[in-house]
Every structure is written in structure tokens, then in C-alpha cells.
Amino acid sequence: MAENEPRTFSQTETVLDWHEGDMPYSRAFDDHFYCRNDGRLECGHVFLAGNDLPHRWQRTETFRIAELGFGTGLNFTETWRQWRESAPEGASLHFTSFERFPMARADIGRALAHWPEIDREREALTAAWPDTPEGRVDLALAPGVRLTVVCGAALDSLMREEMPFDAWYLDGFAPSRNPDMWSAELMGEVYRLTLPGGRFGTYAAAGFVRRNLAGAGFVVERRPGFAGKREMLCGEKPVG
């Protein structure tokens, strides 16, 4: 390949650069995988607080979380950490993530090693992660904790799902770089797969994202974003 010839990427390849030692950066989407300030704290601010968690999982029946964009697994491992510390005895968590370009085990381990707070969860995830993740990856990682990663295009994957979720983490690459992940059609599927009274949270605040979520039927709320970001969005599917 000539030095200046643009590179093309396969449909299943995750091509990474590493910034600042352990910060993964997607060449395909020209974007970092999480906030450069502190992705773990951003997860708590945007996805857990935006979904009113851990408050809403104080129950014994299975709590179901769905995510668009598994990436490094950071949101899952931080959620699992908080679940382990706060869920009632006998409760169960099923976390399902939709990811088109699953990362390799070594890359997940390298990225998550940045946070000693989630060492326990990182070690369990990387030990169970398949060498070649494809199709539907189902992992029973601890008593009452199950992870499913659905590999493939998000819209196609969601259209095949039937059971709705209690909470959504909308964490695709930035809307300006990956608009398909925030389309009206995809947000309609998210709404369909949300229980009445279920919620979503996202760092994104672009006008077309807000309109697509509201157009799908969600009651959308603007909140201050993480680390000085002006806004984020969260919201709820009305009951009845």
C-alpha cells in the first residue's frame, strides 16, 4: 500500500490507535471510545444517574440493561461494580450490548487496566471473553450477573430482539461521526424495546438525536453533561 493511500476497513475489524498510553481511539470513526477526562466517572454520571440507578434496581426480579456500543466494556464493568455494591440479595442483572466491531481480549484488558476500581470485573470479563467474538456472546460471569454481546449492525440486531429492557445506555460513537447509530429508525427500535417506565441515558445532545428520541415516543430531559459538557440527554418511556 502506498504511504498516502487511504486504508479501508473490513466490516468486522476494530482498528485502534492508543493515545496517552491506554486510551483507545478508533481510526474507522475518528473518535475516542470514552471521555478523555475519566470514562468511568462519565459512565456513572451519564448512564447510571441518567437511568436513575442504582435506585431502580432495588428489586428481586431480573433487571435488564441494554447498550448501544460495547466498546471496551467499561460501562458494563462499572455497572457491575456498582451492582455488586448495591443490589439486593438474590437480585439478578442481565446486561445486553449491541456491538458491530467487537474488540479483542487484549485490547479490552489494556483499556480497562486504567481503572484499579474495576480490576475485579476486568479480570472476570477478559478471562471469559472469546478469542473470536461473533454472533451472540453469552457469558455468565457471576451468580446473578449475565452479559450478552450481540455482534453485528445495531439496527438489524435490535429488529430481531423481542424482550424489552428496563434501561438503555446509548453510547455509540459521536453522532457527527456515526449518524446511523442515532437514526430515527434505530431510536424507534430502542423505544419498542423499552418497558413502560423504562429509561435511557446518553452523553449525546445533538438536536437531531433529541428529536429522534422524542419522535419515537420518549419524554426527553436535558441535564448538565459530564466534565463541563453543556448538556446530555436522558428520558423515560411513558406508562400507559
Side-chain angles (χ1 to χ4, degrees):
M1 179 180 291
E3 181 177 353
N4 295 322
E5 183 179 343
R7 170 147 185 209
T8 59
F9 301 96
S10 75
Q11 291 301 299
T12 59
E13 183 180 12
T14 301
V15 183
L16 302 177
D17 287 329
W18 293 90
H19 295 179
E20 302 165 27
D22 53 14
M23 168 70 73
Y25 182 89
S26 169
R27 289 190 229 165
F29 291 101
D30 191 25
D31 200 5
H32 292 94
F33 275 78
Y34 41 74
C35 170
R36 299 179 72 174
N37 294 79
D38 191 317
R40 188 183 69 86
L41 296 182
E42 180 189 37
C43 172
H45 179 91
V46 173
F47 300 116
L48 283 112
N51 277 288
D52 193 19
L53 304 174
H55 171 74
R56 291 179 55 233
W57 67 41
Q58 302 303 313
R59 67 189 204 193
T60 55
E61 62 266 34
T62 300
F63 194 85
R64 290 171 48 82
I65 298 174
E67 174 186 50
L68 294 183
F70 186 69
T72 64
L74 175 58
N75 293 333
F76 167 68
T77 50
E78 174 61 13
T79 299
W80 184 8
R81 183 191 71 81
Q82 294 201 32
W83 172 271
R84 181 167 50 79
E85 294 180 351
S86 65
E89 185 176 355
S92 60
L93 171 68
H94 187 183
F95 191 106
T96 300
S97 191
F98 300 89
E99 173 59 59
R100 187 168 188 174
F101 304 107
M103 291 176 68
R105 177 190 295 111
D107 291 334
I108 289 175
R110 178 176 176 178
L112 296 183
H114 179 79
W115 292 281
E117 297 89 344
I118 54 172
D119 275 349
R120 176 173 170 178
E121 292 75 17
R122 172 184 57 82
E123 290 171 2
L125 173 61
T126 55
W129 193 247
D131 292 334
T132 307
E134 57 186 3
R136 197 175 184 94
V137 178
D138 278 303
L139 305 174
L141 295 171
V145 176
R146 178 181 169 197
L147 169 67
T148 299
V149 179
V150 183
C151 305
L155 182 58
D156 293 342
S157 297
L158 264 62
M159 290 176 70
R160 290 192 291 267
E161 293 291 316
E162 296 181 0
M163 188 174 294
F165 299 92
D166 296 283
W168 278 89
Y169 296 0
L170 306 182
D171 194 27
F173 285 111
S176 61
R177 294 174 170 86
N178 190 20
D180 289 349
M181 200 65 147
W182 307 93
S183 68
E185 190 174 8
L186 190 58
M187 294 303 100
E189 287 298 306
V190 169
Y191 184 84
R192 178 181 69 83
L193 291 168
T194 304
L195 287 164
R199 294 188 59 84
F200 75 86
T202 181
Y203 70 88
F208 86 92
V209 173
R210 185 176 68 252
R211 290 189 294 273
N212 287 347
L213 286 161
F218 287 106
V219 177
V220 180
E221 176 186 352
R222 302 184 197 185
R223 290 186 185 177
F226 177 74
K229 189 172 185 291
R230 189 166 63 91
E231 287 184 338
M232 58 166 274
L233 301 177
C234 58
E236 183 171 317
K237 180 174 182 173
V239 178

